[in-house]
Short mmCIF file of all heavy atoms in Angstrom, two decimals:
data_model
loop_
_atom_site.label_atom_id
_atom_site.label_comp_id
_atom_site.label_asym_id
_atom_site.label_seq_id
_atom_site.Cartn_x
_atom_site.Cartn_y
_atom_site.Cartn_z
N ARG W 283 -16.42 -0.69 -33.19
CA ARG W 283 -17.32 0.41 -33.08
C ARG W 283 -16.50 1.69 -33.24
O ARG W 283 -15.47 1.84 -32.59
CB ARG W 283 -18.01 0.39 -31.72
CG ARG W 283 -19.34 1.10 -31.68
CD ARG W 283 -19.80 1.16 -30.24
NE ARG W 283 -20.37 -0.08 -29.78
CZ ARG W 283 -21.67 -0.28 -29.61
NH1 ARG W 283 -22.56 0.67 -29.86
NH2 ARG W 283 -22.14 -1.43 -29.15
N ASN W 318 -28.17 3.65 -32.68
CA ASN W 318 -28.99 4.89 -32.57
C ASN W 318 -28.30 5.99 -33.33
O ASN W 318 -27.11 6.28 -33.12
CB ASN W 318 -29.10 5.25 -31.06
CG ASN W 318 -30.02 6.39 -30.84
OD1 ASN W 318 -29.93 7.41 -31.53
ND2 ASN W 318 -30.91 6.24 -29.85
N ALA W 320 -28.39 9.13 -33.32
CA ALA W 320 -27.89 10.33 -32.61
C ALA W 320 -26.66 10.00 -31.73
O ALA W 320 -25.97 10.88 -31.29
CB ALA W 320 -28.99 10.88 -31.73
N CYS W 321 -26.38 8.71 -31.54
CA CYS W 321 -25.26 8.31 -30.68
C CYS W 321 -23.92 8.63 -31.36
O CYS W 321 -23.68 8.23 -32.47
CB CYS W 321 -25.35 6.82 -30.33
SG CYS W 321 -23.88 6.23 -29.48
N GLU W 322 -23.15 9.37 -30.67
CA GLU W 322 -21.86 9.78 -31.22
C GLU W 322 -20.69 8.88 -30.80
O GLU W 322 -19.53 9.25 -30.96
CB GLU W 322 -21.51 11.22 -30.73
CG GLU W 322 -22.55 12.28 -31.19
CD GLU W 322 -22.32 12.74 -32.64
OE1 GLU W 322 -21.54 12.06 -33.35
OE2 GLU W 322 -22.92 13.76 -33.03
N CYS W 323 -20.99 7.70 -30.26
CA CYS W 323 -19.91 6.80 -29.81
C CYS W 323 -18.80 6.67 -30.85
O CYS W 323 -17.63 6.76 -30.52
CB CYS W 323 -20.49 5.42 -29.47
SG CYS W 323 -21.26 5.32 -27.89
N PRO W 324 -19.12 6.45 -32.13
CA PRO W 324 -18.02 6.26 -33.07
C PRO W 324 -17.08 7.43 -33.10
O PRO W 324 -15.87 7.25 -33.08
CB PRO W 324 -18.76 6.12 -34.43
CG PRO W 324 -20.09 5.53 -34.05
CD PRO W 324 -20.43 6.20 -32.75
N ALA W 325 -17.61 8.65 -33.10
CA ALA W 325 -16.73 9.82 -33.10
C ALA W 325 -16.02 10.00 -31.78
O ALA W 325 -14.83 10.40 -31.74
CB ALA W 325 -17.57 11.09 -33.41
N VAL W 326 -16.68 9.66 -30.71
CA VAL W 326 -16.04 9.76 -29.38
C VAL W 326 -14.86 8.80 -29.33
O VAL W 326 -13.77 9.13 -28.85
CB VAL W 326 -17.04 9.47 -28.25
CG1 VAL W 326 -16.36 9.29 -26.90
CG2 VAL W 326 -18.10 10.58 -28.16
N ALA W 332 -16.06 15.10 -28.24
CA ALA W 332 -16.15 14.86 -26.77
C ALA W 332 -17.51 14.33 -26.41
O ALA W 332 -18.48 14.63 -27.14
CB ALA W 332 -15.84 16.17 -26.02
N PRO W 333 -17.65 13.58 -25.36
CA PRO W 333 -18.92 13.05 -24.99
C PRO W 333 -19.98 14.17 -24.87
O PRO W 333 -21.14 14.00 -25.30
CB PRO W 333 -18.65 12.44 -23.60
CG PRO W 333 -17.24 12.03 -23.64
CD PRO W 333 -16.53 13.07 -24.49
N THR W 334 -19.57 15.31 -24.37
CA THR W 334 -20.51 16.42 -24.19
C THR W 334 -21.02 16.98 -25.53
O THR W 334 -21.96 17.73 -25.57
CB THR W 334 -19.89 17.53 -23.35
OG1 THR W 334 -18.57 17.74 -23.80
CG2 THR W 334 -19.89 17.19 -21.89
N ASP W 335 -20.34 16.61 -26.65
CA ASP W 335 -20.83 17.02 -27.94
C ASP W 335 -22.07 16.22 -28.40
O ASP W 335 -22.72 16.57 -29.37
CB ASP W 335 -19.75 16.86 -29.02
CG ASP W 335 -18.55 17.76 -28.78
OD1 ASP W 335 -18.75 18.83 -28.12
OD2 ASP W 335 -17.43 17.43 -29.20
N CYS W 336 -22.32 15.11 -27.72
CA CYS W 336 -23.42 14.26 -28.12
C CYS W 336 -24.71 14.80 -27.53
O CYS W 336 -24.80 15.10 -26.34
CB CYS W 336 -23.19 12.83 -27.64
SG CYS W 336 -24.59 11.75 -27.90
N LYS W 337 -25.73 14.92 -28.43
CA LYS W 337 -27.01 15.48 -27.93
C LYS W 337 -27.68 14.63 -26.85
O LYS W 337 -28.46 15.11 -26.07
CB LYS W 337 -27.99 15.57 -29.13
CG LYS W 337 -27.76 16.84 -29.96
CD LYS W 337 -29.04 17.22 -30.71
CE LYS W 337 -29.25 16.42 -32.00
NZ LYS W 337 -28.17 16.49 -33.01
N LEU W 338 -27.35 13.34 -26.87
CA LEU W 338 -28.03 12.44 -25.96
C LEU W 338 -27.34 12.46 -24.58
O LEU W 338 -27.87 11.95 -23.58
CB LEU W 338 -28.04 11.01 -26.49
CG LEU W 338 -28.69 10.81 -27.86
CD1 LEU W 338 -28.69 9.35 -28.24
CD2 LEU W 338 -30.10 11.37 -27.87
N PHE W 339 -26.10 12.99 -24.55
CA PHE W 339 -25.31 12.88 -23.28
C PHE W 339 -26.03 13.52 -22.10
O PHE W 339 -26.46 14.69 -22.17
CB PHE W 339 -23.97 13.60 -23.50
CG PHE W 339 -23.08 13.59 -22.29
CD1 PHE W 339 -22.34 12.44 -21.95
CD2 PHE W 339 -23.01 14.69 -21.48
CE1 PHE W 339 -21.56 12.42 -20.82
CE2 PHE W 339 -22.20 14.67 -20.33
CZ PHE W 339 -21.49 13.53 -20.03
N ALA W 340 -26.18 12.74 -21.07
CA ALA W 340 -26.73 13.23 -19.76
C ALA W 340 -28.21 13.59 -19.89
O ALA W 340 -28.79 14.00 -18.87
CB ALA W 340 -25.96 14.38 -19.22
N THR W 341 -28.77 13.48 -21.05
CA THR W 341 -30.23 13.72 -21.16
C THR W 341 -30.92 12.35 -21.30
O THR W 341 -31.43 11.79 -20.35
CB THR W 341 -30.59 14.67 -22.31
OG1 THR W 341 -30.00 14.16 -23.51
CG2 THR W 341 -30.05 16.08 -22.08
N VAL W 342 -30.83 11.84 -22.52
CA VAL W 342 -31.44 10.50 -22.76
C VAL W 342 -30.47 9.42 -22.33
O VAL W 342 -30.85 8.40 -21.75
CB VAL W 342 -31.71 10.33 -24.27
CG1 VAL W 342 -32.32 8.98 -24.52
CG2 VAL W 342 -32.62 11.45 -24.76
N CYS W 343 -29.18 9.65 -22.53
CA CYS W 343 -28.17 8.63 -22.27
C CYS W 343 -27.47 8.88 -20.98
O CYS W 343 -26.77 9.91 -20.81
CB CYS W 343 -27.18 8.64 -23.45
SG CYS W 343 -25.92 7.35 -23.31
N THR W 344 -27.65 7.99 -20.03
CA THR W 344 -27.01 8.08 -18.70
C THR W 344 -26.51 6.71 -18.33
O THR W 344 -26.94 5.72 -18.97
CB THR W 344 -28.02 8.57 -17.63
OG1 THR W 344 -29.03 7.58 -17.50
CG2 THR W 344 -28.65 9.90 -17.98
N ASN W 347 -29.25 4.34 -18.03
CA ASN W 347 -29.95 4.02 -19.27
C ASN W 347 -29.04 4.29 -20.45
O ASN W 347 -29.21 5.25 -21.20
CB ASN W 347 -31.21 4.90 -19.32
CG ASN W 347 -31.98 4.65 -20.62
OD1 ASN W 347 -32.13 3.50 -21.07
ND2 ASN W 347 -32.45 5.68 -21.30
N PRO W 348 -28.03 3.47 -20.60
CA PRO W 348 -27.04 3.76 -21.62
C PRO W 348 -27.60 3.53 -23.04
O PRO W 348 -28.24 2.52 -23.29
CB PRO W 348 -25.90 2.75 -21.36
CG PRO W 348 -26.55 1.66 -20.57
CD PRO W 348 -27.74 2.22 -19.89
N ILE W 349 -27.40 4.48 -23.90
CA ILE W 349 -27.83 4.31 -25.29
C ILE W 349 -26.66 3.76 -26.11
O ILE W 349 -26.84 2.89 -26.93
CB ILE W 349 -28.27 5.67 -25.92
CG1 ILE W 349 -29.36 6.33 -25.07
CG2 ILE W 349 -28.71 5.52 -27.37
CD1 ILE W 349 -30.69 5.59 -25.08
N GLY W 350 -25.49 4.26 -25.85
CA GLY W 350 -24.31 3.77 -26.55
C GLY W 350 -23.38 3.07 -25.56
O GLY W 350 -23.52 3.19 -24.36
N ALA W 351 -22.43 2.33 -26.15
CA ALA W 351 -21.51 1.56 -25.32
C ALA W 351 -20.59 2.42 -24.46
O ALA W 351 -20.20 2.02 -23.40
CB ALA W 351 -20.69 0.64 -26.19
N CYS W 352 -20.28 3.63 -24.90
CA CYS W 352 -19.39 4.47 -24.16
C CYS W 352 -19.93 4.90 -22.81
O CYS W 352 -19.21 5.43 -21.95
CB CYS W 352 -19.02 5.73 -24.93
SG CYS W 352 -18.15 5.36 -26.46
N MET W 353 -21.23 4.71 -22.61
CA MET W 353 -21.84 5.11 -21.35
C MET W 353 -21.94 3.91 -20.40
O MET W 353 -22.43 4.03 -19.29
CB MET W 353 -23.25 5.67 -21.66
CG MET W 353 -23.89 6.42 -20.55
SD MET W 353 -22.90 7.77 -19.88
CE MET W 353 -23.64 9.20 -20.59
N VAL W 354 -21.44 2.75 -20.78
CA VAL W 354 -21.66 1.55 -19.97
C VAL W 354 -20.53 1.35 -18.98
O VAL W 354 -20.69 1.48 -17.76
CB VAL W 354 -21.84 0.30 -20.86
CG1 VAL W 354 -21.95 -0.92 -19.95
CG2 VAL W 354 -23.11 0.44 -21.67
N ALA W 359 -15.60 6.63 -22.13
CA ALA W 359 -15.41 8.09 -22.01
C ALA W 359 -16.67 8.80 -21.55
O ALA W 359 -16.62 9.67 -20.71
CB ALA W 359 -14.96 8.68 -23.38
N CYS W 360 -17.81 8.35 -22.08
CA CYS W 360 -19.06 9.07 -21.69
C CYS W 360 -19.40 8.80 -20.23
O CYS W 360 -19.80 9.69 -19.50
CB CYS W 360 -20.23 8.61 -22.58
SG CYS W 360 -19.98 9.09 -24.30
N ALA W 361 -19.20 7.56 -19.79
CA ALA W 361 -19.51 7.25 -18.39
C ALA W 361 -18.59 7.98 -17.46
O ALA W 361 -19.01 8.50 -16.42
CB ALA W 361 -19.43 5.71 -18.17
S1 SF4 X 401 -23.65 10.04 -24.63
FE1 SF4 X 401 -24.46 7.99 -25.02
S2 SF4 X 401 -25.29 8.10 -27.03
FE2 SF4 X 401 -23.93 9.85 -26.83
S3 SF4 X 401 -21.95 9.14 -27.57
FE3 SF4 X 401 -21.96 8.76 -25.40
S4 SF4 X 401 -22.73 6.70 -25.21
FE4 SF4 X 401 -23.20 7.32 -27.31
#
Side-chain angles (χ1 to χ4, degrees):
Chain W
R283 203 187 284 252
N318 186 313
C321 170
E322 299 278 14
C323 281
V326 169
T334 41
D335 295 335
C336 173
K337 277 205 280 301
L338 304 183
F339 179 79
T341 53
V342 180
C343 183
T344 64
N347 178 41
I349 304 293
C352 297
M353 195 54 103
V354 175
C360 296

